[in-house]
Amino acid sequence: MYYSILHTAFGYVGIIFTLIPFTVKRIFLPRPEIKELEADIRKEYLANSSLLSIEATGSLDGRAEDVEDFYLLSSSLKSYFQGTPIELKYQWLDMSNMTPLQQLVLDVTSRIPYGEVRSYTWVANLISRPRAQRFVGNTLARNPFPILIPCHRVIRGNGSLGGFAGGLELKRRLIALERKAPRSP
């Protein structure tokens, strides 16, 4: 397993992934300090002594298409924080630790259009569980793929932001970024 830290317009973002095939295990939301992100990665993946930094290894040892997918995701994430939507490749995401219902919540959330928001109730209704707003919120709070699965686009029914693992100020900034960015036709 590898990790990479990207410098973006919003701070340092982390990616945990494997190669052959390229699979994203986790995305870490932006942190202002690289040391803070490195500490979070070490804390969460401390038991995995085989976690390698691509910055430390200097290169990736994998099939060309897997390495290409990693670089595509990296450049897409950097571009996202400058206002460009990401085209998600679902096959990249490792959801093996999630229940089918949690996966459904993430799938529905991934379909919220760039620059728009929906409510927890809206997501609950689309998973055919109209009273499951709390379940939706708890699932999104543990979303391992923020930005790729845009949980920041889910708000409370009354229009308030609700929660967000990266903090409400980051959620506000992400929503504002998407709303002011030009959209593709």
Side-chain angles (χ1 to χ4, degrees), residues 55-160:
E55 289 79 9
T57 60
S59 66
L60 291 172
D61 185 23
R63 298 181 309 195
E65 61 267 24
D66 294 314
V67 172
E68 195 174 293
D69 284 345
F70 165 73
Y71 286 115
L72 175 61
L73 175 61
S74 297
S75 66
S76 295
L77 279 168
K78 288 179 183 181
S79 294
Y80 170 82
F81 289 103
Q82 295 178 341
T84 303
I86 289 180
E87 293 294 323
L88 175 64
K89 291 191 178 182
Y90 240 91
Q91 72 270 18
W92 287 350
L93 307 182
D94 179 0
M95 294 194 189
S96 61
N97 292 331
M98 306 183 88
T99 68
L101 191 56
Q102 289 170 323
Q103 290 178 32
L104 187 57
V105 167
L106 295 185
D107 180 57
V108 167
T109 302
S110 75
R111 296 167 194 260
I112 300 171
Y114 183 86
E116 297 182 21
V117 295
R118 298 290 188 270
S119 70
Y120 294 98
T121 301
W122 181 86
V123 175
N125 286 331
L126 285 181
I127 65 167
S128 300
R129 303 279 199 294
R131 298 174 60 135
Q133 296 92 341
R134 183 165 291 168
F135 175 80
V136 168
N138 287 334
T139 298
L140 295 179
R142 291 187 295 277
N143 173 12
F145 315 109
I147 306 305
L148 301 180
I149 304 285
C151 52
H152 61 277
R153 295 180 192 155
V154 181
I155 62 172
R156 290 185 176 151
N158 67 6
S160 66

